[in-house]
C-alpha cells in the first residue's frame, strides 16, 4: 500500500495504528485536520476484506468530517477511527477498553463517537478509560440520540431553500417527498408536519411508512418512484449515492435537501443538478445537526445550546445558495470553497 502517497492525496494529516495482541484490537485513528480544534468523528467497527480497505475508509471519512465540522462552525477538526472486526471470537468489552487506552495515549487529539457497528454501550466502555469520547448515556452527561438534531438542521436547510428558490417564508403547503423514514426521516417528517408541509414518504420497511402516514398524514409513495414524485422538495434520508445518472433526469422537484450522507453518486452529479436548475443542499452542510449536538458534549452538554447552534444551519445554507447564484457555481463546490476559506484563514 502506498501510504504516504495516499495521505498526500487526501491532504493529510496524521494516522495512528494500534495493535493490541491481548484483545485482538487492530485499530486506526485518522486525523485529517486539527487546525480548528481536536479531531472529532465516529468509530466504525465492521469487517474489512483487507487492511488497505480499512485504511482507505478511515482516510476518506475523516476528511469528510473536517469539512462538516468546519462548515458547522465547530471548534473541531476532522477525524475518524476504524476498528477491524476480528474474524475469531473476541471479548467486546476488553476490545473497546483497549481502544479507549489507545485514545488516551493520543491525549485528546481525537475524540470518538458512535458510527456503523458501534453503539452507546461501546462508548460507555471507552468512557471508563478516557474522557475523549462522546455519544455516552444522557444519565452520564451524554447527548443522546443525534437524529432529532439532524432532522432539525435539515428542516432549517429546507426552510432556507424554500425561501431562496420559491420565495416563501413558511413551509405551509410545501410538498416534501421524503425517501427513508428511519431515525432522521421520521423526525424530519415530524418537523415538517408541524410547520404545515404536505408529505409523501417511502421506506423499504412498510411499517415505518405507515407510521408517518398515521402520525403526520403522509401519503405513501413507492420506493422505486419516490424520487419521481412531483413536489417542491425531494428529501433523501436513506442511503447514499441516490442522486445519479438514473435518478437526476426524472426528478420533478426544484429542491433536493435531505439528511443522507454522500447523496451525489459522483461530484459531477452536483453539476447535473445545477444544470437542471435544481437547488441542491450539500449533504454535509445540511445534515450537521447531529454533529453539532455531539460536539456540545465535549464542552459540557446543554440541549438548548445545541438546539440554538443547530438552528443556525439556516444561515449557512442561505450563504451557500446565495454564493452559488452569484458565482454561477454548483452548491456542492461552493460549500467546499467555504470550508477551504475557513481553513486557510487559520493558516497551517
Ligand atoms: P436509518 O437506517 O434509521 O434510516 C434509513 C431508512 O431508510 C430506513 O428506515 C430504511 O428502511 C430506509 N431505506 C433504505 N433504503 C431505502 C430505499 N431505497 N428507499 C426508501 N427507503 C429506504 O438511518 P438514519 O440514522 O435515519 O440515517 C439516514 C441517512 O442520514 C443516512 O444516510 C445517514 O448516514 C444520514 N445521517 C444520519 C444522521 C443521524 O443523526 N442519524 C446524521 C447525519 C447523516
Amino acid at each position: 500500500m502506498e501510504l504516504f502517497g495516499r495521505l498526500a492525496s487526501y491532504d493529510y494529516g496524521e494516522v495512528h495504528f494500534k495493535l493490541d495482541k491481548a484483545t485482538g484490537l487492530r485499530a486506526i485513528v485518522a486525523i485529517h485536520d486539527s487546525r480548528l480544534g481536536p479531531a472529532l468523528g465516529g468509530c466504525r467497527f465492521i469487517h474489512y476484506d483487507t487492511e488497505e480497505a480499512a485504511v482507505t475508509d478511515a482516510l476518506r471519512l475523516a476528511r469528510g468530517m473536517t469539512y462538516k465540522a468546519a462548515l458547522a462552525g465547530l471548534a473541531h477538526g476532522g477525524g475518524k477511527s476504524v476498528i477491524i472486526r476480528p474474524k475469531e471470537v473476541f471479548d467486546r468489552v476488553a476490545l473497546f477498553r483497549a481502544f479507549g487506552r489507545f485514545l488516551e495515549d493520543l491525549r485528546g487529539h481525537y475524540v470518538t463517537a458512535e458510527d456503523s457497528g458501534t453503539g452507546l454501550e461501546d462508548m460507555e466502555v471507552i468512557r471508563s478509560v478516557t474522557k475523549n469520547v462522546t455519544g455516552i448515556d444522557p444519565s452520564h452527561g451524554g447527548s443522546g440520540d443525534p437524529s432529532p438534531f439532524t432532522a432539525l438542521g435539515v428542516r432549517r436547510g429546507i426552510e432556507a431553500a424554500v425561501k431562496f428558490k420559491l420565495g416563501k417564508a413558511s413551509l405551509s403547503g410545501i410538498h416534501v417527498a421524503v425517501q427513508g423514514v428511519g431515525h432522521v426521516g421520521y423526525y424530519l417528517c415530524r418537523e415538517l408536519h408541524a410547520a404545515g408541509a404536505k408529505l409523501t414518504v417511502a421506506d423499504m420497511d412498510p411499517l415505518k411508512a405507515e407510521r408517518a402516514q398515521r402520525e403526520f398524514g403522509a401519503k405513501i409513495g413507492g420506493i422505486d418512484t419516490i424520487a419521481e414524485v412531483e413536489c417542491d422538495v425531494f428529501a433523501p434520508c436513506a442511503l447514499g449515492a441516490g442522486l445519479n445518472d438514473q435518478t437526476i433526469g426524472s426528478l420533478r422537484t426544484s429542491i433536493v435537501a435531505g439528511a443522507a450522507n454522500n447523496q451525489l453518486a459522483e461530484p459531477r452529479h452536483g453539476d447535473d443538478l445545477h444544470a437542471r436548475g435544481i437547488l441542491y443542499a450539500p449533504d454535509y452542510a445540511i445534515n450537521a445537526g447531529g454533529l453539532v449536538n455531539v460536539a456540545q458534549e465535549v464542552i459540557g452538554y446543554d440541549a438548548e445550546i445545541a438546539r440554538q447552534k443547530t438552528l443556525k444551519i439556516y444561515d449557512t445554507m442561505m450563504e451557500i445558495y446565495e454564493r452559488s447564484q452569484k458565482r454561477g457555481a454548483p452548491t456542492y463546490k461552493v460549500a467546499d470553497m467555504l470550508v477551504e476559506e475557513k481553513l486557510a484563514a487559520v493558516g497551517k
Side-chain angles (χ1 to χ4, degrees), residues 88-335:
E88 52 290 338
V89 177
F90 61 94
D91 176 341
R92 189 165 182 127
V93 170
L95 194 84
F96 277 91
R97 207 176 284 135
F99 181 67
R101 286 195 297 271
F102 176 27
L103 299 193
E104 189 61 11
D105 290 344
L106 298 178
R107 298 179 186 179
H109 210 111
Y110 164 70
V111 181
T112 200
E114 284 178 37
D115 202 285
S116 311
T118 56
L120 191 104
E121 282 166 19
D122 303 316
M123 299 304 121
E124 286 291 328
V125 172
I126 296 171
R127 177 179 168 267
S128 68
V129 277
T130 180
K131 62 178 180 11
N132 301 316
V133 54
T134 59
I136 55 173
D137 196 279
S139 64
H140 295 138
S143 59
D145 180 6
S147 309
F149 287 84
T150 304
L152 173 65
V154 174
R155 190 254 290 169
R156 294 292 284 156
I158 290 176
E159 282 172 346
V162 165
K163 174 86 176 95
F164 180 81
K165 186 81 181 169
L166 308 176
K168 293 188 181 166
S170 146
L171 295 183
S172 180
I174 293 292
H175 181 194
V176 186
V178 184
Q179 181 181 44
V181 280
H183 286 97
V184 183
Y186 169 78
Y187 288 114
L188 177 63
C189 286
R190 192 170 76 176
E191 294 274 344
L192 297 172
H193 176 65
K198 285 192 300 177
L199 301 169
T200 301
V201 302
D203 198 290
M204 302 280 267
D205 180 345
L207 292 178
K208 290 184 183 166
E210 283 161 21
R211 182 165 73 151
Q213 182 183 48
R214 212 170 43 245
E215 296 187 22
F216 312 123
K219 207 174 142 194
I220 298 182
I223 51 165
D224 295 327
T225 52
I226 187 76
E228 297 162 21
V229 168
E230 190 169 354
C231 58
D232 299 302
V233 182
F234 172 53
C237 296
L239 303 174
L243 302 169
N244 53 48
D245 290 334
Q246 283 70 46
T247 55
I248 289 177
S250 13
L251 289 172
R252 289 195 292 159
T253 181
S254 45
I255 296 166
V256 174
N261 276 316
N262 306 317
Q263 291 173 33
L264 302 172
E266 292 173 43
R268 68 181 170 87
H269 293 113
D271 300 301
D272 293 346
L273 288 168
H274 184 71
R276 277 205 59 198
I278 296 173
L279 183 66
Y280 167 63
D283 45 18
Y284 72 83
I286 195 171
N287 74 13
L291 183 68
V292 169
N293 189 48
V294 147
Q296 192 58 40
E297 202 176 318
V298 180
I299 314 168
Y301 190 63
D302 182 319
E304 186 47 32
I305 295 176
R307 187 182 151 76
Q308 291 305 326
K309 287 182 180 172
T310 302
L311 291 176
K312 293 199 175 122
I313 286 178
Y314 182 100
D315 303 326
T316 307
M317 301 313 297
M318 194 56 101
E319 188 177 356
I320 293 171
Y321 305 148
E322 285 172 354
R323 276 222 210 181
S324 162
Q325 187 178 56
K326 212 183 279 172
R327 298 185 181 199
T331 50
Y332 82 96
K333 281 193 180 151
V334 171

